[in-house]
Structure formats: structure tokens, C-alpha cells
Amino acid sequence: MATDDMWVWDGGRVCLDFANTLRHRWRSPSQETLRDPGDLALWLERAGLLRPGPPDHADAAVLAAGRKLRETVDRAVLAVSDGRLPSPGDVTALNRAAARAPRPALQIAVTDGRLEAAGTTSIAADASAALTLIAQDAVDLLLSADIRRVRICGADRCALRFLDRSPARNRRWCSMSRCGNRTKVRLHQARTRRGEHPPAD
């Protein structure tokens, strides 16, 4: 069974975090973190999409459907973020997955004296319904202006997907504390080995 440290929550959207459950996409074979139905149920619980409960929330068929949905989401999001249309098959698959359950009810909140959206109710009773929430999030992302902010981590050995919410829209790493710092350290060590010095400030 996967452990929490195998999962990364830096995607900025639940559908991107789900796409990131297939790690190391830059190499072959990549690393599957949803190895059994229990992994899928645990990930859905940790993502806040599934009520905690017994491990029989998911079975082999639901796991296969989840992995298939994950790759559909990934292909569609990367296509649209690159200015292309997703394949007709991916559009159909996402629409079907998103329609399997009613959309969660939109919630409101008062924040700093203003009325604003507070997200949606998003706890499902079973893993299949939780996968529907992921498909609905992907459809929302594909239709929003945020789709142009989807990035792939710039680290050579990462390839995690994330939503760039930086004001300048120039975020390069899925996480500065993980990939950003590691890359900077590696580049510094390489310069040091070559006898180069960084330019003075």
C-alpha cells in the first residue's frame, strides 16, 4: 500500500493532484502510486473527496476506472493548456465520468464583510462517486481561464503538473522547497566542479 509521502499535493486543483499520482512520467516505467484499490480509497480520503471508512470503498474495477480517468484528465489538460483541443474520445470520457453523479452544491460564505463562493460540498460516499468529483473538477478547469496556467515542473526528474498562481505567471517548479531548491543546489554544485562562480550581486 502507498504511503502519504508518495503523494504530492502541489497541483493546485484536485484533478491535477490526481494526475500526479502517476509519478516520474519523465521516465519509463513511471511510478504508480495507486497500486491497489486500498491506495485509491486512501488517496481519495486524503484529498477530501471520500468519507473515511472501510477499505472496501474501491475494488479492482473502480481502480482501473480511476487510472483510466487519471490519464484522460492528464491528456486533456495538457492539450488544452497547450492551445490544442482534447481528443473526441477524451471529451466523451470526461463528460460521461462527470455526469455519473449530480454536481456538488455550491456553498457561500461571508469573508471580510463580503459574500463569496466557499467551494462546494465534496465528500462522496463511495470511490466511484469521488472519481466523478475529479472528472467534474477537470471539466471546470478545462473551461476556465486557469487552464492557461497549467504547467509541468521544470525539474529534470519531476514532471508533476501544477497550476501556476504566481502573479507574474512564471512559476517553474511544482514546489520550491522540493524541486526548486534541489535544482538550484545541483546547478551550484555543477558550477563549483567546473570552477565557475555565480555573478556578484
Side-chain angles (χ1 to χ4, degrees):
M1 185 172 237
T3 56
D4 280 342
D5 62 345
M6 292 191 66
W7 295 321
V8 178
W9 306 96
D10 294 323
R13 295 286 296 242
V14 71
C15 64
L16 298 179
D17 286 334
F18 191 58
N20 290 336
T21 61
L22 185 64
R23 300 287 302 280
H24 307 301
R25 288 178 183 267
W26 54 272
R27 73 177 187 204
S28 183
S30 48
Q31 181 184 8
E32 179 61 74
T33 68
L34 303 179
R35 293 179 293 232
D36 59 49
D39 289 340
L40 175 61
L42 183 59
W43 188 91
L44 293 168
E45 286 179 22
R46 296 291 189 269
L49 300 176
L50 181 65
R51 288 189 193 119
D56 61 352
H57 270 315
D59 59 21
V62 174
L63 176 63
R67 288 176 177 172
K68 186 174 179 181
L69 173 64
R70 176 185 65 195
E71 298 313 298
T72 300
V73 167
D74 191 59
R75 285 190 305 270
V77 165
L78 292 184
V80 178
S81 69
D82 193 37
R84 297 176 287 115
L85 290 174
S87 74
D90 286 346
V91 170
T92 299
L94 280 174
N95 283 336
R96 285 183 180 156
R100 285 194 184 111
R103 292 192 65 77
L106 186 62
Q107 305 290 292
I108 58 174
V110 176
T111 306
D112 297 327
R114 294 184 330 238
L115 194 62
E116 61 183 32
T120 57
T121 56
S122 59
I123 303 292
D126 60 58
S128 290
L131 292 176
T132 296
L133 298 174
I134 293 171
Q136 290 171 353
D137 183 60
V139 169
D140 286 344
L141 176 59
L142 290 167
L143 294 174
S144 75
D146 279 347
I147 191 63
R148 299 291 186 207
R149 291 182 171 227
V150 172
R151 307 280 185 266
I152 298 175
C153 183
D156 292 341
R157 297 186 173 186
C158 182
L160 290 177
R161 285 68 164 125
F162 66 90
L163 190 61
D164 178 5
R165 288 198 170 107
S166 66
R169 297 187 181 193
N170 62 353
R171 182 174 150 199
R172 295 180 59 197
W173 323 110
C174 63
S175 166
M176 189 62 200
S177 63
R178 187 176 44 255
C179 289
N181 286 340
R182 287 178 191 162
T183 301
K184 288 183 176 186
V185 167
R186 192 173 69 249
L187 292 174
H188 174 74
Q189 290 171 340
R191 280 194 303 269
T192 302
R193 283 192 298 273
R194 292 191 305 263
E196 298 174 11
H197 300 284
D201 291 334

